[in-house]
Every structure is written in structure tokens, then in C-alpha cells.
Amino acid sequence: MTSELKLKVNGSTQGIDVEANTMLLYVLRDGLELYDPKFICGLGQCGACTVHLDGKAICPA
């Protein structure tokens, strides 16, 4: 089952339909075609997938 998710990314609000268990990393890469965050280690230790959420760095993997 999908639901609409609204995200404000780089100052622009965008809506996307996603499955409830989809990782934010894949929403950004596959849904919004933002390829800067990357899936490298799969553990959130290398920092390649880091994004800023409300001014704080988080790992969405």
C-alpha cells in the first residue's frame, strides 16, 4: 500500500507516492532522482548517504 509523502528538498516541496517501508535514501534517489546520497556501506558508518534533516545530519540508510 502506498501513501503520499510530501518532502521539502532544497527549498522545493515535492510529493511522491511511496510504500510505507521505503528507506528515505531510496525515496530521494529513485523517486526524486537526487543522486548525491549514495548507498555504500549499508550501515550508515561511511557517511555517503548523509542528508540534513531540520539542520541536523542523519543517515537515511
Side-chain angles (χ1 to χ4, degrees):
M1 182 175 165
T2 64
S3 56
E4 184 179 13
L5 179 64
K6 290 192 186 261
L7 299 171
K8 186 174 185 179
V9 180
N10 298 331
S12 174
T13 301
Q14 301 180 40
I16 184 171
D17 289 327
V18 297
E19 294 288 331
N21 61 349
T22 304
M23 289 192 306
L24 175 59
L25 179 64
Y26 295 128
V27 172
L28 295 172
R29 289 184 60 82
D30 300 336
L32 299 179
E33 298 180 356
L34 299 170
Y35 300 114
D36 290 327
K38 295 175 179 38
F39 186 85
I40 304 285
C41 70
L43 302 171
Q45 295 179 349
C46 71
C49 62
T50 301
V51 297
H52 287 150
L53 176 65
D54 296 328
K56 295 183 181 182
I58 65 162
C59 178

